[in-house]
């Protein structure tokens, strides 16, 4: 009979994008993909969009790994990075309000903004430079994908592909309420253009600098929010002339401020991070 283990966790969310956070500085649980699949079940376990581990790093202050609810590993998660910032500071893993975080999508710098209670209220993440090159996304197009017409069944959409350390394809629409996010999102995630699949964003420009979006995340389906997706939408809106380089992005779970700096070409994302509850689970 297998020995039963008890695992401590912290449930957190960034504007509704919720993950189960594990402090793995001392040791890693076995088989993280399977663990994420089981713990993410909203009916039979803790529930969430996946799990995020926090561990020591040889190249940064801390390291983050992200596993989606289907067990696949993601390269980067902006909302997750903000929550790691709050977790690390509020739980004493780190004592400074600026630190670096190693991810599969590169090393990110986090600036923590404290509330009156001395705890982290919001976080600005330097998400690095976006890329439109097919090799970075990756995609199988011959060149940059900017408003490229793509047919999915009987529907034609225009895609703009952006890498924010993970692959995104942005579709601008006139009326977000009429979009079949689940149907189109699932088909575009698995489109032959994206050999490693892609996150799909549907965006409606309300006015220059203000955008509403919904996101179909690779490996998780529709989520309340996606930080890298919001960054991709802001970049796509800027390069197609729909919006300036600073945008307020409205997601189902809340708002993010995105600033694509013209000084260093980096994308800066600012938004809240919240702790929901802590506990232990047998596995």
């Amino acid at each position: 009979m297998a020995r039963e283990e008890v695992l401590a966790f912290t449930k957190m969310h960034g504007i509704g994008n919720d993950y189960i956070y594990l402090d793995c500085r001392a040791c890693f649980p076995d088989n993280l993909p399977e663990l994420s699949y089981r713990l993410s079940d909203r009916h039979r376990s803790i529930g969430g969009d996946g799990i995020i581990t926090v561990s020591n790093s040889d190249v940064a202050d801390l390291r983050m790994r992200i596993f989606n609810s289907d067990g696949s590993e993601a390269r980067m998660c902006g909302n997750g990075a903000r929550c790691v910032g709050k977790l690390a500071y509020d739980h004493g893993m780190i004592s400074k309000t600026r630190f670096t975080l190693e991810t599969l999508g590169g090393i990110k710098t986090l600036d923590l903004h404290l509330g009156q209670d001395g705890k982290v209220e919001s976080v600005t993440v330097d998400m690095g430079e976006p890329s439109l090159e097919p090799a970075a996304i990756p995609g199988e197009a011959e060149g940059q994908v900017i408003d490229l017409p793509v047919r999915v069944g009987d529907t034609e959409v225009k895609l703009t592909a952006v890498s924010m350390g993970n692959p995104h394809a942005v579709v601008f629409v006139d009326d977000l309420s009429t979009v079949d996010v689940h149907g189109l999102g699932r088909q575009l995630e698995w489109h032959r253009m994206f050999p490693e699949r892609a996150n799909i964003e549907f965006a409606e420009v309300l006015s220059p600098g203000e955008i509403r979006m919904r996101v179909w995340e690779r490996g998780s389906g529709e989520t309340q929010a996606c930080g890298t997706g919001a960054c991709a939408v802001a970049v796509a809106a800027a390069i197609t002339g729909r919006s300036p380089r600073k945008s307020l992005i409205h997601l189902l779970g809340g708002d993010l401020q995105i600033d694509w700096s013209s000084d260093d070409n980096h994308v800066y994302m600012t938004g809240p991070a919240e702790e929901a509850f802590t506990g232990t689970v047998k596995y």
Side-chain angles (χ1 to χ4, degrees):
M1 182 175 181
R3 184 166 62 93
E4 197 170 60
E5 301 282 358
V6 175
L7 184 68
F9 69 88
T10 303
K11 181 71 181 294
M12 306 186 74
H13 75 90
I15 58 172
N17 193 191
D18 61 332
Y19 285 89
I20 302 154
Y21 290 77
L22 307 177
D23 181 356
C24 295
R25 290 175 297 165
C27 63
F28 268 91
D30 294 332
N31 201 351
L32 289 169
E34 181 188 356
L35 185 64
S36 182
Y37 178 78
R38 289 193 284 114
L39 295 186
S40 298
D41 191 318
R42 297 186 186 274
H43 300 287
R44 297 178 175 86
S45 190
I46 302 166
D49 292 326
I51 65 172
I52 289 181
T53 65
V54 183
S55 60
N56 298 316
S57 170
D58 294 330
V59 295
D61 292 308
L62 290 170
R63 182 187 184 201
M64 172 177 82
R65 291 181 70 186
I66 311 116
F67 293 87
N68 298 314
S69 58
D70 69 351
S72 61
E73 186 167 7
R75 294 181 58 80
M76 178 54 189
C77 174
N79 290 317
R82 294 201 317 279
C83 287
V84 168
K86 179 174 177 63
L87 179 74
Y89 187 88
D90 290 358
H91 288 254
M93 298 180 190
I94 206 157
S95 60
K96 51 189 178 180
T97 56
R98 168 174 280 196
F99 73 94
T100 54
L101 184 64
E102 178 189 357
T103 76
L104 287 179
I107 296 175
K108 310 301 178 184
T109 300
L110 278 60
D111 285 294
L112 314 180
H113 313 298
L114 307 184
Q116 292 184 346
D117 59 359
K119 294 185 176 182
V120 174
E121 193 170 76
S122 64
V123 180
T124 298
V125 183
D126 179 353
M127 302 290 286
E129 294 189 68
S131 176
L132 277 70
E133 297 306 317
I137 291 167
E140 294 191 344
E142 294 182 0
Q144 294 181 351
V145 174
I146 301 175
D147 274 345
L148 178 70
V150 173
R151 181 159 291 281
V152 181
D154 295 330
T155 304
E156 183 177 274
V157 298
K158 291 184 178 180
L159 296 182
T160 299
V162 181
S163 172
M164 289 302 311
N166 53 1
H168 294 273
V170 180
V171 180
F172 288 101
V173 299
D174 295 328
D175 185 354
L176 193 56
S177 65
T178 65
V179 177
D180 179 10
V181 171
H182 288 228
L184 280 176
R186 183 179 292 106
Q187 292 179 78
L188 289 170
E189 174 191 357
W190 291 91
H191 196 278
R192 62 181 182 276
M193 283 181 60
F194 306 110
E196 296 181 13
R197 296 187 289 160
N199 303 284
I200 310 300
E201 286 78 32
F202 300 93
E204 176 187 351
V205 178
L206 303 177
S207 63
E210 186 176 9
I211 302 170
R212 180 185 293 125
M213 65 168 276
R214 288 173 65 182
V215 58
W216 178 268
E217 288 201 57
R218 176 181 62 168
S220 292
E222 185 174 21
T223 60
Q224 291 286 297
C226 176
T228 56
C231 294
V233 165
V235 169
I239 62 176
T240 59
R242 292 178 168 93
S243 194
R245 295 174 74 102
K246 289 185 179 181
S247 291
L248 172 64
I249 309 292
H250 302 291
L251 302 102
L252 292 180
D255 297 344
L256 292 173
Q257 293 279 354
I258 309 297
D259 180 5
W260 184 16
S261 173
S262 56
D263 295 331
D264 58 10
N265 204 42
H266 285 212
V267 178
Y268 294 87
M269 174 194 63
T270 301
E274 297 186 31
E275 182 176 316
F277 57 88
T278 62
T280 59
V281 64
K282 294 179 181 179
Y283 74 100

